[in-house]
Amino acid sequence: MNLLFRIISETSTLELVCGQDRIVHSSQGQDSDICELSRYLREYQNFGHFFRTTSNYTSTPLTAFLLTGVPGLEDFQIWISIPFSFMYLLAVTGNGLVMAMVIWDRSLHEPMYLFLAMLALNDVLLCTVTVPKMLLIFWQGPSISTFPACLTQMFFVHALFLSESAVLLAMAFDRYVAICAPLHYTTLLTGSLIGKVVLALVARSVAVVTPGVLLILRLHFCQSNVIHHTYCENMGIAKLACNSIVPNSIYGLTAALLTTGLDFVLISLSYWLILRTVFRLPSREARTKAFGTCGAYTCVILIFYTLAFFSFFTHRFGHHVPRNVLILLANLYLLVPPTMNPIVYGVKTKEIRMRVLGLCAQPK
């Protein structure tokens, strides 16, 4: 299988003879490995062409991509899958528990807990879109993804990431109103407003991500269709194209700065105003409690945006960063926040913590 990675990654001379079990290769020997490669390629020949003729840059219909996993760490992927599997299980279980508590307990049908349930739902969807496919690659090797499936995954990865950022912004606004303007809390954060927030974040995600998908559809793929990644993402697909990807890069950078970048600025402003109000509290105990809660929330937000922005900018400008580091970071920024959110928000939210403990303490 290592030979497959070398032949796909390097532009060596490879000729497959249809209907024959013969392969002519320009490198030395290794007949058994070559035959293994032949069988592997014939197994997936219905999914599309794995090699493109680059001499005349002739575009051919693209029907599938080959996701190879983390480049350079193929021999260790089975071990890498262990912590990723544990984190995914923890994320799904923890966020599922938070959603169940909020849905079943009518006393938790308040803005703060509804936003928390929205975040939990988004986290489950975000990691489920990417992690099962990633684990399949880690366990079984390179995996085929059809062109429509790859675009669908790309759409949901970016749309759910944008909606996660929007929910974090809504939660920051909720805390700002609760601490800085408590007398107006019930009049501002009504059920009608929460419904409009949900519609707005869904509409924003669809409106921002859809042009990115359309820009991918304008590209012509005439070279390799091998993606050295665990899931399909915008620039990973675009970099395989033969025509210019400048519009894709410009739109992606602009959209990120005007959505998640602006969200981060507004969230930072909200917490700065919250901390300024907390400093004015007369009770030292109240200040300590507020600092503890805000500190935990701030850590989660910083981890989410730091990993995301680092991965985003290094994919575009970090040409000297090792590719396996980029791929691992791209997976971590989609998995670490969903894993940490139910722990931090659930533990720091007294009502949810008490109900979970009560559920666990019930006699069987």
Side-chain angles (χ1 to χ4, degrees):
M1 198 61 66
N2 289 334
L3 179 62
L4 173 62
F5 288 125
R6 292 199 299 272
I7 294 177
I8 290 178
S9 301
E10 302 171 2
T11 55
S12 57
T13 305
L14 180 64
E15 178 186 354
L16 298 181
V17 181
C18 298
Q20 303 287 334
D21 288 334
R22 296 189 295 112
I23 294 182
V24 179
H25 193 273
S26 62
S27 59
Q28 300 176 353
Q30 301 180 347
D31 293 338
S32 60
D33 287 341
I34 295 298
C35 292
E36 180 184 351
L37 172 61
S38 175
R39 290 192 297 271
Y40 183 84
L41 292 178
R42 284 202 304 273
E43 180 181 353
Y44 291 114
Q45 63 183 350
N46 292 330
F47 288 98
H49 302 288
F50 281 89
F51 301 92
R52 298 290 184 264
T53 303
T54 59
S55 58
N56 56 3
Y57 287 85
T58 301
S59 177
T60 57
L62 184 65
T63 59
F65 290 104
L66 181 68
L67 296 168
T68 64
V70 184
L73 298 178
E74 291 84 8
D75 295 335
F76 303 97
Q77 287 183 152
I78 190 67
W79 301 107
I80 297 174
S81 69
I82 296 175
F84 277 84
S85 301
F86 176 74
M87 293 170 67
Y88 177 63
L89 181 62
L90 187 60
V92 172
T93 304
N95 286 293
L97 197 57
V98 170
M99 285 188 289
M101 292 295 103
V102 174
I103 292 173
W104 291 338
D105 195 332
R106 296 187 63 86
S107 65
L108 296 180
H109 291 183
E110 297 179 5
M112 175 182 175
Y113 307 111
L114 293 176
F115 286 136
L116 191 57
M118 289 165 54
L119 182 68
L121 174 61
N122 197 90
D123 283 339
V124 171
L125 295 176
L126 182 60
C127 55
T128 300
V129 166
T130 57
V131 175
K133 182 76 170 181
M134 175 191 69
L135 293 177
L136 184 66
I137 294 172
F138 285 171
W139 293 335
Q140 299 183 1
S143 177
I144 294 293
S145 182
T146 63
F147 188 70
C150 204
L151 288 185
T152 301
Q153 187 185 44
M154 184 197 87
F155 175 86
F156 280 106
V157 165
H158 295 294
L160 289 168
F161 176 78
L162 287 179
S163 61
E164 176 107 352
S165 180
V167 173
L168 290 175
L169 176 59
M171 294 176 69
F173 177 72
D174 171 79
R175 291 299 84 204
Y176 165 75
V177 176
I179 294 175
C180 300
L183 298 179
H184 301 286
Y185 185 79
T186 55
T187 57
L188 286 176
L189 292 167
T190 61
S192 175
L193 179 64
I194 294 175
K196 292 176 181 178
V197 168
V198 173
L199 292 176
L201 68 87
V202 171
R204 187 185 79 157
S205 296
V206 173
V208 172
V209 177
T210 300
V213 175
L214 297 178
L215 286 172
I216 290 292
L217 293 175
R218 59 170 278 277
L219 298 176
H220 302 290
F221 300 91
C222 59
Q223 302 184 57
S224 172
N225 61 344
V226 177
I227 301 178
H228 298 286
H229 210 307
T230 58
Y231 61 87
C232 299
E233 56 93 24
N234 188 14
M235 292 308 296
I237 300 174
K239 287 180 179 179
L240 299 178
C242 298
N243 51 330
S244 175
I245 64 170
V246 172
N248 300 68
S249 184
I250 292 176
Y251 179 78
L253 183 61
T254 304
L257 292 177
L258 293 180
T259 52
T260 53
L262 183 59
D263 290 346
F264 179 70
V265 171
L266 294 175
I267 290 172
S268 301
L269 178 62
S270 297
Y271 278 102
W272 179 77
L273 293 172
I274 289 172
L275 290 176
R276 190 180 67 173
T277 302
V278 168
F279 276 119
R280 298 174 181 175
L281 292 176
S283 171
R284 182 177 180 179
E285 182 180 352
R287 289 198 301 270
T288 303
K289 182 179 179 181
F291 275 129
T293 303
C294 291
Y297 293 176
T298 302
C299 288
V300 171
I301 291 169
L302 286 177
I303 290 173
F304 175 77
Y305 285 105
T306 300
L307 287 174
F309 285 139
F310 184 81
S311 177
F312 178 83
F313 286 112
T314 50
H315 263 290
R316 285 164 171 76
F317 309 111
H319 304 296
H320 301 293
V321 179
R323 183 176 291 180
N324 52 14
V325 174
L326 294 178
I327 304 306
L328 287 175
L329 283 175
N331 284 282
L332 286 175
Y333 92 82
L334 294 180
L335 187 56
V336 171
T339 304
M340 293 188 63
N341 286 342
I343 298 174
V344 173
Y345 289 113
V347 170
K348 288 295 181 179
T349 306
K350 180 180 177 181
E351 289 76 8
I352 292 180
R353 182 176 71 248
M354 296 304 294
R355 282 160 177 79
V356 171
L357 292 175
L359 180 65
C360 295
Q362 285 182 356
K364 297 181 180 180

